[in-house]
Amino acid sequence: MSKKVLIANRGEISLRAIRACKELGIKTVSIYSEGDKELKSLRFSDESVCVGPADPTKSYLDAPTILSAADVTGSDAIYPGYGFLAEDYSFAEQCNLSGFKFIGPNSETIRQMGDKITAKSIVTKYGIDGVPGFNNKLPDDDDEVLKIANEIGYPLIVKATAGGGGRGMKIVRSSNELINSVQIAKQEALNGFGNDVVYFEKFIENPRHIEVQVVGDGKGNAIHLGTRDCSIQRRHQKLIEEAPASDVDKKKLDEVLENCVTLCKDLNYEGVGTLEFLYENECFYFLEMNTRIQVEHPVTEMVTGIDLVKQQILAASGERLTISQNDIKIKGHSIECRINAEHPESFIPSPGKISQYHQPGGLGVRVDSAVYQGYSVPPHYDSMIGKLITYADNRSECIARMKRALEEYVIMGINTNIQMHQKIIMTEEFKSGKYDINFMST
Ligand code: ADP
């Protein structure tokens, strides 16, 4: 078992990892940037190291400095969290080559599954259908590109193979827009991800976003922990997630779950992962795999009782999976609202000092957040400042509990999206559970 883990992240996920390590008797090292000296996680870890200025490219994304921090603190493993270097296969490789265990799958698995075109071709071999489209690098010749698009039909979506976070996508509704959209998507992909390879998918008009949580021990044992519905999104970014996904064709789902597990067994998948799908007309279409912990992992933890971060650490420590598929019982319902520091109408980030803070509590309420009264939300990072998670025996009680918890949540001094969540969960559409990814645009 690892003795000291360096957490190469910030905010709520750092605190989440520290909590898991403490329960496993593992010492922790936090890293922080000069813009993050007030982080709550720094007060909970055993040690902390400043890795550079507030600019994330010079701190949380600076692999050599992070590896030096692991070295000087005598850490033996590195926990990446989500975002930053979590899906950077070369960082995973550098960690392992430098003698620090990267807590996650091996670098080759991250490389293959992190590239959406490659991932789609791999999962196809396991009977998992990708969204129909052209799943190859597009040719340079415009006429060829137009021909391919005509074969797929409009509307279609241009996507970056290295894309993430809802960025690098362009919906194209007619051939007139095509070439220009491809150029823009390529440029955005190059700027955002350092890789300008784009591909085409059929644009599915009214799907739900449903994903499957998997866990493997790197030794050929793997299980799934059921589904999440993450269809409440804004600009392709998730806002509310639930587990389990309601109202899904059981036969189709069982097939997909079984195929996902077989894939992970074959890959000797180590740690946690998520296979994301669009679901429309009782069909699942694979989008991508995330080879890391997801923001929305708590809802799965609530309905399974399994600590996913501990599972990651145990797998990285070489432990065999002790949970079998039959042990997994999905019980009750859980919902997560992402609490963002942003203006309620313009959605513009709202950094600044939190003058008053009171977080909700009571039965079935969990808050994963690293903020507190007097904390200043820095302007340099993602605007998500916490996650409010509720759990209850069934979906309607879970919504009632979320309503009550949102009412209790007081965050003053900055703008937040708490009121927006209150409105969403009280709509008839949300309450009925019959919504899709277009919820926010209707
Ligand atoms: P990212 O890696 O940037 O999160 P994904 O491929 O996971 O990108 O897609 C994110 C979201 O974008 C999906 O949940 C969905 O809302 C939308 N999306 C992606 N591909 C399609 C598609 N082919 N048709 C319709 N919506 C799509």
Side-chain angles (χ1 to χ4, degrees), residues 116 131 157 159 163-167 169 201-204 207 209 233 236 276 278 287-288 437:
K116 295 186 188 195
V131 182
I157 183 163
K159 294 176 75 168
R167 291 174 301 131
M169 278 182 251
E201 270 178 7
K202 180 94 196 125
F203 179 66
I204 312 228
H209 174 118
Q233 307 178 349
H236 309 304
E276 297 192 331
L278 293 180
L287 278 176
E288 63 161 343
I437 60 165

Side-chain angles (χ1 to χ4, degrees), residues 186-400:
K186 274 186 168 184
Q187 195 54 51
E188 282 181 8
L190 188 64
N191 296 345
F193 316 108
N195 175 348
D196 75 349
V197 175
V198 295
Y199 63 106
F200 286 156
E201 270 178 7
K202 180 94 196 125
F203 179 66
I204 312 228
E205 296 272 3
N206 300 302
R208 292 164 64 193
H209 174 118
I210 294 182
E211 55 189 36
V212 174
Q213 178 70 59
V214 290
V215 183
D217 62 6
K219 297 177 171 55
N221 303 304
I223 55 169
H224 71 79
L225 299 186
T227 54
R228 295 187 284 261
D229 187 319
C230 311
S231 304
I232 306 284
Q233 307 178 349
R234 198 184 77 84
R235 294 207 184 139
H236 309 304
Q237 283 187 335
K238 299 162 188 168
L239 277 174
I240 299 182
E241 303 97 345
E242 338 189 16
S246 324
D247 224 358
V248 182
D249 183 84
K250 176 148 176 15
K251 196 165 160 274
K252 291 275 173 58
L253 177 61
D254 286 347
E255 255 171 48
V256 164
L257 293 172
E258 197 184 320
N259 292 337
C260 291
V261 170
T262 308
L263 165 80
C264 293
K265 285 180 176 168
D266 269 16
L267 290 176
N268 280 334
Y269 193 85
E270 183 180 310
V272 304
T274 301
L275 292 106
E276 297 192 331
F277 297 86
L278 293 180
Y279 179 74
E280 191 186 57
N281 299 331
E282 294 173 0
C283 291
F284 283 92
Y285 302 102
F286 174 79
L287 278 176
E288 63 161 343
M289 181 170 189
N290 290 322
T291 54
R292 53 164 169 85
I293 195 84
Q294 304 258 116
V295 173
E296 59 272 25
H297 75 276
V299 290
T300 298
E301 295 186 327
M302 302 309 273
V303 298
T304 58
I306 295 186
D307 183 321
L308 286 171
V309 178
K310 275 191 194 166
Q311 288 303 318
Q312 290 183 285
I313 298 169
L314 291 172
S317 301
E319 302 275 324
R320 274 186 177 276
L321 197 58
T322 53
I323 319 158
S324 74
Q325 192 65 62
N326 285 335
D327 297 330
I328 304 298
K329 303 272 180 279
I330 309 290
K331 190 172 171 289
H333 198 88
S334 183
I335 300 177
E336 172 181 280
C337 290
R338 296 189 185 196
I339 308 298
N340 296 339
E342 63 190 20
H343 190 276
E345 272 108 43
S346 66
F347 301 107
I348 291 171
S350 174
K353 189 168 179 152
I354 298 180
S355 55
Q356 262 191 60
Y357 185 79
H358 171 82
Q359 72 183 38
L363 183 64
V365 176
R366 165 175 170 180
V367 178
D368 278 19
S369 173
V371 308
Y372 51 89
Q373 188 156 316
Y375 173 78
S376 284
V377 179
H380 319 282
Y381 311 106
D382 191 271
S383 61
M384 192 185 80
I385 53 168
K387 309 180 309 203
L388 173 59
I389 303 115
T390 55
Y391 173 77
D393 282 347
N394 57 54
R395 189 169 183 272
S396 60
E397 281 177 31
C398 194
I399 294 174

Side-chain angles (χ1 to χ4, degrees), residues 35-145:
D36 259 347
K37 289 182 184 156
E38 293 182 29
L39 272 179
K40 190 170 174 180
S41 43
L42 305 183
R43 303 186 193 175
F44 284 77
S45 57
D46 297 291
E47 290 167 64
S48 53
V49 182
C50 181
V51 289
D55 175 352
T57 61
K58 299 193 174 95
S59 47
Y60 298 107
L61 290 165
D62 182 351
T65 307
I66 293 172
L67 291 171
S68 302
D71 194 26
V72 294
T73 52
S75 303
D76 52 36
I78 296 186
Y79 184 78
Y82 52 72
F84 297 125
L85 296 167
E87 285 176 294
D88 183 328
Y89 68 88
S90 82
F91 178 65
E93 196 173 20
Q94 287 170 56
C95 288
N96 294 332
L97 289 175
S98 312
F100 309 110
K101 176 73 180 116
F102 177 83
I103 301 178
N106 65 48
S107 58
E108 183 54 16
T109 303
I110 300 175
R111 188 186 67 75
Q112 288 186 332
M113 300 314 279
D115 183 88
K116 295 186 188 195
I117 292 178
T118 312
K120 280 178 100 172
S121 79
I122 292 174
V123 302
T124 310
K125 295 181 201 139
Y126 292 85
I128 301 173
D129 297 327
V131 182
F134 183 77
N135 299 312
N136 290 299
K137 183 180 187 297
L138 288 175
D140 293 327
D141 183 70
D142 289 352
D143 291 336
E144 290 281 315
V145 172

